[in-house]
Amino acid sequence: MSETRCGYAAIVGRPNVGKSTLLNHLIQQKISITSRKPQTTRQNVTGVKTQGNVQIIFVDTPGMHRKQTKAINRYMNRVATSATLDVDVILFVVDRTIWTTDDDNVVERLQQSKVPVIVVVNKMDCQEDKAALIPHLALLQERLKPAEIIPVSALRGHNLDCLEEQIIKRLPQGIHLFPEDQITDKSSRFLAAELIREKITRQLGAELPYQIAVEIDQFIDETTLITIAATILVERDGQKRILIGEGGSRLKSIGTAARLDMETLFDAKVMLKLWVKVKAGWSDDDRALRSLGFHE
Ligand code: GDP
Ligand code: MG
């Protein structure tokens, strides 16, 4: 492509279809946390990919879902919706033919948008019967009228070059908004907190992860060594006990896993200190959410 281009691509879809995995593989760096549990991503995470004279700014979003019972869930829906308003292209990620009412909810929101939509049919590595997709995708084509439908495997990196080509075609001409070596607009503190949250989500039982938040109390960057102190907030005493584990074993293994990922991401040695604190009701309290950095 001869002219300089730069633009935004929002990644939307219901929880757990692989949005964050897609972002990480597109920019070949782990900046958005992923797990088997829904609602791992809570805030929009920006990933910047610059190649030659093209810059794509991806925005990974929390999963959109119908249930909006708690303040944190309402917050995540607003954040995801806001990301679709002012972008050049929307990547609507779906999981093969697995369709839920949360997918219907996304379609309804996208029907109101004027931005071109690319349907990304993810997890194709798990789809044996490719023909079974055809009637499903034909229906979706009719209903949403997307610009493209592209099957991929985010995890394996299959067909992502084709997806990228279709994104680039839709970006406007213009100067790059980020320096070439910048991969995200998020601070190192934010990324550190997210990595801790990811390890908790991956290592602990189903319901706990919804009710934790991570605050970075200290972040001292001495180039080759970064010292980080963080507090994990939970809602109840019982959760604190689970998180700490027998003789502190669980917290230790969460800390080790998070530290290893931080060392790769920051390219430095990391000293990580973790504390656990009970702060009842934070996830349904708008003021507490703001103080934890959930700003719009
Ligand atoms: P998000 O909630 O949409 O951001 O989904 P995540 O990126 O956190 O992924 C949810 C789960 O799906 C994780 O366990 C991923 O490893 C898995 N996953 C994502 N993409 C693929 C894929 O292409 N193939 C397979 N088999 N699993 C995937
Ligand atoms: Mg995610």
Side-chain angles (χ1 to χ4, degrees):
M1 202 152 285
S2 56
E3 69 277 3
T4 300
R5 288 180 185 234
C6 179
Y8 283 85
I11 307 174
V12 305
R14 71 167 160 83
N16 241 19
V17 290
K19 297 177 296 299
S20 299
T21 305
L22 180 66
L23 173 66
N24 291 338
H25 280 80
L26 283 165
I27 66 162
Q28 287 151 10
Q29 277 273 6
K30 180 161 163 184
I31 55 164
S32 196
I33 64 171
T34 66
S35 90
R36 281 200 200 88
K37 317 229 166 68
Q39 302 182 26
T40 303
T41 310
R42 284 182 180 160
Q43 311 210 24
N44 292 340
V45 175
T46 303
V48 185
K49 180 161 187 173
T50 310
Q51 258 180 337
N53 46 15
V54 178
Q55 181 165 79
I56 313 173
I57 304 160
F58 294 100
V59 184
D60 182 23
T61 63
M64 294 187 191
H65 45 98
R66 268 193 207 282
K67 266 205 345 233
Q68 304 199 12
T69 43
K70 281 190 161 190
I72 181 121
N73 294 335
R74 287 192 294 275
Y75 170 86
M76 290 194 294
N77 266 341
R78 282 201 304 276
V79 163
T81 306
S82 71
T84 63
L85 299 176
D86 205 21
V87 296
D88 302 295
V89 56
I90 293 172
L91 312 184
F92 171 25
V93 184
V94 300
D95 181 354
R96 293 159 288 161
T97 56
I98 303 172
W99 195 263
T100 73
T101 54
D102 283 334
D103 289 293
D104 286 321
N105 179 38
V106 181
V107 168
E108 281 157 30
R109 281 167 201 250
L110 293 184
Q111 279 167 337
Q112 292 158 30
S113 156
K114 292 195 172 61
V115 179
V117 174
I118 298 176
V119 175
V120 179
V121 186
N122 191 28
K123 308 198 187 183
M124 285 301 288
D125 54 295
C126 294
Q127 181 77 16
E128 304 255 303
D129 180 7
K130 311 271 191 254
L133 276 174
I134 296 170
H136 175 70
L137 296 181
L139 270 176
L140 190 57
Q141 172 71 40
E142 196 176 316
R143 211 174 140 196
L144 185 62
K145 312 234 161 19
E148 306 284 340
I149 298 181
I150 303 176
V152 306
S153 167
L155 197 63
R156 303 272 165 85
H158 291 165
N159 218 22
L160 300 187
D161 45 349
C162 166
L163 172 60
E164 230 175 85
E165 203 177 296
Q166 292 301 328
I167 296 167
I168 292 170
K169 261 171 57 179
R170 295 179 168 83
L171 300 184
Q173 292 185 22
I175 55 159
H176 295 179
L177 297 173
F178 291 89
E180 193 175 343
D181 57 356
Q182 188 171 345
I183 56 162
T184 180
D185 71 338
K186 291 295 181 197
S187 69
S188 301
R189 293 175 84 100
F190 174 85
L191 296 172
E194 287 286 278
L195 285 174
I196 296 165
R197 216 160 54 71
E198 177 183 77
K199 301 314 168 197
I200 299 168
T201 309
R202 288 185 174 190
Q203 293 195 22
L204 292 181
E207 79 284 14
L208 183 57
Y210 298 106
Q211 309 198 359
I212 56 136
V214 177
E215 271 181 317
I216 302 294
D217 308 312
Q218 195 184 50
F219 193 106
I220 305 170
D221 187 352
E222 296 163 302
T223 321
T224 54
L225 175 72
I226 302 173
T227 306
I228 300 169
T231 304
I232 301 164
L233 296 176
V234 295
E235 298 257 7
R236 290 190 299 275
D237 272 327
Q239 297 170 336
K240 179 172 172 176
R241 242 175 293 125
I242 296 170
L243 201 50
I244 291 174
E246 193 105 20
S249 57
R250 178 53 69 195
L251 193 61
K252 190 160 172 229
S253 104
I254 288 166
T256 304
R259 179 176 57 77
L260 291 174
D261 269 11
M262 289 173 190
E263 291 185 338
T264 309
L265 183 65
F266 300 141
D267 196 21
K269 278 259 154 255
V270 170
M271 268 262 293
L272 177 62
K273 288 175 255 177
L274 294 179
W275 279 269
V276 183
K277 204 165 97 185
V278 179
K279 184 169 178 174
W282 72 265
S283 67
D284 197 24
D285 176 345
D286 282 312
R287 238 180 66 209
L289 285 176
R290 274 195 300 280
S291 81
L292 285 168
F294 293 94
H295 298 288
E296 273 164 273

